[in-house]
Amino acid sequence: FMILLNLTGRVCSAFSSNISSMRTVQKVKENLVRDVVTELDLRLHEISKEFILERYPSCKLLSEESQDIEMEKVNILDGEWLVVDPLDGSNNFALGLPNYGYMAALLKNGDFSALLHYIHRLSSERFKISPFDFSHKDSKGNLKFIENDYNGFISRMKTDTLSFVKNNINDN
């Protein structure tokens, strides 16, 4: 579960960057106009792949954008897997429409362990993440993190745009 919480920061950072420049369609899958791959799809796939390699090397990645996996050889019943749809709603994103996001599920020996579902809100009032948004300078000029403000923001965002689900059935 904590793995998905750690991955969330990287995913949110990608969505808070200048994503409008990532709308370019890189390919159309199987000649289906409604099934496109954008630059953001590929960026989020790379973020997932880098995260697994750096932070959770025992876990395998199964991503909709994986090109190096032979599906017939995938056995999600064996070991730990992060199953990802890097950009659910790619077509909406490419067209500048709302309702797109990131989805990931963590499986352990085929059993559901945790789920991350982030839906990006597309509006002019969208919060732009900055490293200083939850900080202030103390009397010595040092930046101090304001944990209560951050926790309040996360709580509000989880209500609207971020879902975590943890399966407690198999936890020890």
Side-chain angles (χ1 to χ4, degrees):
F1 181 70
M2 290 304 295
I3 292 298
L4 292 183
L5 287 175
N6 291 326
L7 177 58
T8 302
R10 294 185 188 192
V11 169
C12 289
S13 292
F15 277 101
S16 68
S17 65
N18 183 15
I19 60 172
S20 61
S21 67
M22 298 179 153
R23 291 189 200 284
T24 305
V25 173
Q26 300 298 302
K27 72 178 182 178
V28 177
K29 294 181 185 176
E30 299 178 23
N31 293 322
L32 299 173
V33 176
R34 294 190 48 83
D35 198 1
V36 299
V37 177
T38 66
E39 288 181 43
L40 186 57
D41 283 277
L42 299 176
R43 178 67 192 123
L44 290 167
H45 168 79
E46 283 304 312
I47 286 171
S48 303
K49 186 175 178 179
E50 290 165 5
F51 182 81
I52 290 296
L53 290 172
E54 291 171 16
R55 302 288 301 271
Y56 204 33
S58 64
C59 188
K60 298 171 210 96
L61 177 67
L62 179 59
S63 169
E64 185 178 20
E65 308 312 331
S66 292
Q67 297 184 15
D68 54 347
I69 290 186
E70 296 177 45
M71 289 305 295
E72 60 274 358
K73 293 184 180 179
V74 169
N75 183 1
I76 61 172
L77 301 178
D78 183 29
E80 295 174 302
W81 286 84
L82 182 66
V83 181
V84 174
D85 183 351
L87 186 58
D88 183 39
S90 300
N91 201 50
N92 282 8
F93 173 71
L95 295 171
L97 299 173
N99 299 326
Y100 54 87
Y102 178 91
M103 290 194 296
L106 187 60
L107 302 176
K108 293 184 180 180
N109 296 318
D111 292 328
F112 169 80
S113 178
L115 170 75
L116 162 64
H117 187 208
Y118 173 80
I119 301 170
H120 184 68
R121 293 174 57 191
L122 185 63
S123 76
S124 59
E125 300 169 23
R126 188 187 63 166
F127 183 79
K128 295 187 190 297
I129 296 174
S130 158
F132 305 110
D133 281 338
F134 302 105
S135 303
H136 76 278
K137 287 188 178 183
D138 65 12
S139 59
K140 296 178 183 178
N142 297 319
L143 281 175
K144 297 290 181 182
F145 179 67
I146 308 168
E147 186 173 357
N148 288 342
D149 288 356
Y150 176 75
N151 289 336
F153 167 73
I154 292 297
S155 179
R156 287 188 305 280
M157 289 297 102
K158 281 174 36 178
T159 301
D160 287 343
T161 63
L162 188 60
S163 300
F164 294 99
V165 178
K166 181 179 179 190
N167 179 358
N168 292 316
I169 295 171
N170 296 320
D171 285 354
N172 294 328

